[in-house]
Each structure stands twice: as C-alpha cells, then as structure tokens.
Amino acid sequence: MDINYASEIEFLKKVESHNNRTLLNNDQTKNLLLEYPKLPEDYLIYLQEIGSGSFRESQFNVTAPFNLEDLGLEDHYELKPNIWFFGDNFAGDFAGFDLDQNDGKVVEFWHDSGELYYTNKTFKTYIREQMLM
C-alpha cells in the first residue's frame, strides 16, 4: 500500500494561517519503531510528511506515542497496558492505538466516562475526519 498525505497537506495549506508542526526524519522514525514496533505505517508516514503538532488552529494535536502514565493519570483511569495515544482534541479526550490488537485501527479514550471506544478506522481515515476534510 502506497500511503501519502499530499491531499491533506494541500488542504491544510488552504485552511491554516500558520503551521508549527515538526517533521520526523528517518532516524527518528526508526527509533519510534524500535520502541513501538506495532505502530501503524500510516501514522508514521503522517509524522514524516505532516509532522507532530496541532492542526487547524488547535482542532487536534498529533504527537509521538504517550500513555496515561506519561500524563500522571494512571491513578485516575484504568486501561490495558498496551494502549498508546497519538493525539488529543484539546478537550481532554485522547486518540491512539491498542497495540495488542495490532490492526492499526484508532481507539478513542473519553475522559468523561473513562471508556475506550474502538473506532474501527485507520489512522488516515480518522485524522482526515479530525481535519474536517
């Protein structure tokens, strides 16, 4: 599968007034894969082509993988240990992957209920929706 984000890059150029995202280089991508070998390819390509950071003036934020422990929230919510998030909606909800599933589909963590919701969407499909494309 040949994945690229050319149409998303063009879309963001039209709708954003500024861009402060940071692109991952090949070495950084390899290091991510060493630490998280089950990360989906479309997510990694996104980080290389569009980059980590927010888009659409804080509509959504995409970053390197993190978990609840990284945020100091492990005592407030209970999740499986192989849930790794890649982003948030600036309202306390996170999106990520269940790396135990190894299917590349996005999960959402809703902070209000503490529930994990399996979207059944690939990263690329999910992120296009967050961009309001």
Side-chain angles (χ1 to χ4, degrees), residues 4-21:
N4 74 60
Y5 286 93
S7 63
E8 291 81 0
I9 291 167
E10 285 304 311
F11 174 78
L12 290 173
K13 284 180 184 176
K14 292 176 186 173
V15 298
E16 290 183 315
S17 60
H18 66 281
N19 169 354
N20 292 325
R21 290 181 292 276

Side-chain angles (χ1 to χ4, degrees), residues 92-112:
D93 301 321
F94 305 114
F97 307 107
D98 180 346
L99 296 183
D100 288 336
Q101 297 288 325
N102 199 26
D103 63 0
K105 302 291 172 84
V106 173
V107 297
E108 291 180 327
F109 175 71
W110 299 337
H111 79 282
D112 290 356

Side-chain angles (χ1 to χ4, degrees), residues 16-89:
E16 290 183 315
S17 60
H18 66 281
N19 169 354
N20 292 325
R21 290 181 292 276
T22 304
L23 300 177
L24 253 62
N25 64 36
N26 287 337
D27 288 339
Q28 291 168 317
T29 303
K30 287 176 188 173
N31 289 337
L32 265 184
L33 277 173
L34 286 174
E35 191 168 351
Y36 311 98
K38 295 181 180 179
L39 287 176
E41 182 183 21
D42 55 351
Y43 167 64
L44 295 169
I45 293 170
Y46 176 94
L47 291 175
Q48 291 180 314
E49 293 186 3
I50 295 180
S52 64
S54 66
F55 54 76
R56 303 240 14 210
E57 283 65 54
S58 301
Q59 171 74 22
F60 197 84
N61 189 47
V62 177
T63 67
F66 64 94
N67 63 18
L68 290 180
E69 188 174 331
D70 294 330
L71 302 173
L73 295 174
E74 70 277 9
D75 294 336
H76 301 282
Y77 302 102
E78 191 171 322
L79 289 179
K80 298 181 343 181
N82 225 5
I83 300 294
W84 289 91
F85 301 112
F86 61 76
D88 69 271
N89 64 0

